[in-house]
Amino acid sequence: MRLTKSTDIALRIAMRLAVLDEGSSPTTHQVAEAVAVPYTHAAKVVAQLCHLGVVEARRGRGGGLTLTRAGRTGSLGTLVRNLEGVGDVVGCEDAVPCPLRAACRLRGALRQAQEQFFAALDHLTVDDLVAPPTGPVLLALSPRPPEPHGGAAPA
C-alpha cells in the first residue's frame, strides 16, 4: 500500500511540530519550508490536521502551529486511517466497473491487507516516531536555501 502525498505531508508536519520546544509555534510557511513541501500543500494539510484535532493553529501576532496532546499521543493507525479514508484499494466500482467484481476474491484480500497495514501502526504515536535518532535530525532541518536564478546549480 502506498500513502497519499497528503498523508505523507501530514505525518512530516506532525513530526516536525513534535520536536519543537514548548512555546515554539512556527507558521505554516516555516513548517512547509522545513519539511520541503509547497506552502499550498502544507496549508491544505494543516487545515485537515486542525479539523482532526491533531494541530492547533492560532492566527495573528504570537500565533502559529502547535501539536496537540492528542496529536502527540494518539494512535498513528487511527491518524493514518483518518487521513487516508477507508475505501477499496482497487477501483472495482470505477466508471467502468471491473467485470470480475461479482466473483472476485482480490477485493476482500486487499481490504484485509489494508487493515493489517493500519493495525501495524495502531500501537505507535507521533512521539514514538520522533524518538532518537529521528528527533535530532528533525530539529536540524532548516528552511531550504533559495534556488539560484536561472536554475543552475551553484559551483
Side-chain angles (χ1 to χ4, degrees), residues 12 15-20 31 33-36 129-143:
R12 286 197 261 164
M15 290 169 64
R16 173 64 176 179
L17 293 174
V19 298
L20 297 177
V31 172
E33 287 179 12
V35 298
L129 296 180
V130 299
T134 306
V137 172
L138 284 163
L139 283 172
L141 295 178
S142 59

Side-chain angles (χ1 to χ4, degrees), residues 41-147:
H41 294 352
K44 182 177 176 182
V45 167
V46 164
Q48 188 176 16
L49 290 172
C50 288
H51 177 75
L52 293 172
V54 174
V55 170
E56 182 180 300
R58 291 179 314 280
R59 293 184 179 269
R61 187 179 174 118
L65 305 175
T66 54
L67 192 64
T68 65
R69 179 157 174 74
R72 284 184 178 284
T73 62
S75 164
L76 193 62
T78 299
L79 176 58
V80 173
R81 279 182 191 88
N82 287 331
L83 292 168
E84 288 289 307
V86 180
D88 286 327
V89 177
V90 292
C92 300
E93 306 294 333
D94 285 346
V96 178
C98 176
L100 301 174
R101 73 186 181 279
C104 182
R105 291 183 175 159
L106 178 61
R107 184 181 193 177
L110 291 174
R111 270 194 197 135
Q112 184 179 10
Q114 180 184 38
E115 182 48 38
Q116 288 175 355
F117 174 83
F118 292 140
L121 300 173
D122 281 340
H123 72 284
L124 294 170
T125 67
V126 171
D127 275 348
D128 293 332
L129 296 180
V130 299
T134 306
V137 172
L138 284 163
L139 283 172
L141 295 178
S142 59
R144 292 178 287 179
E147 293 184 17

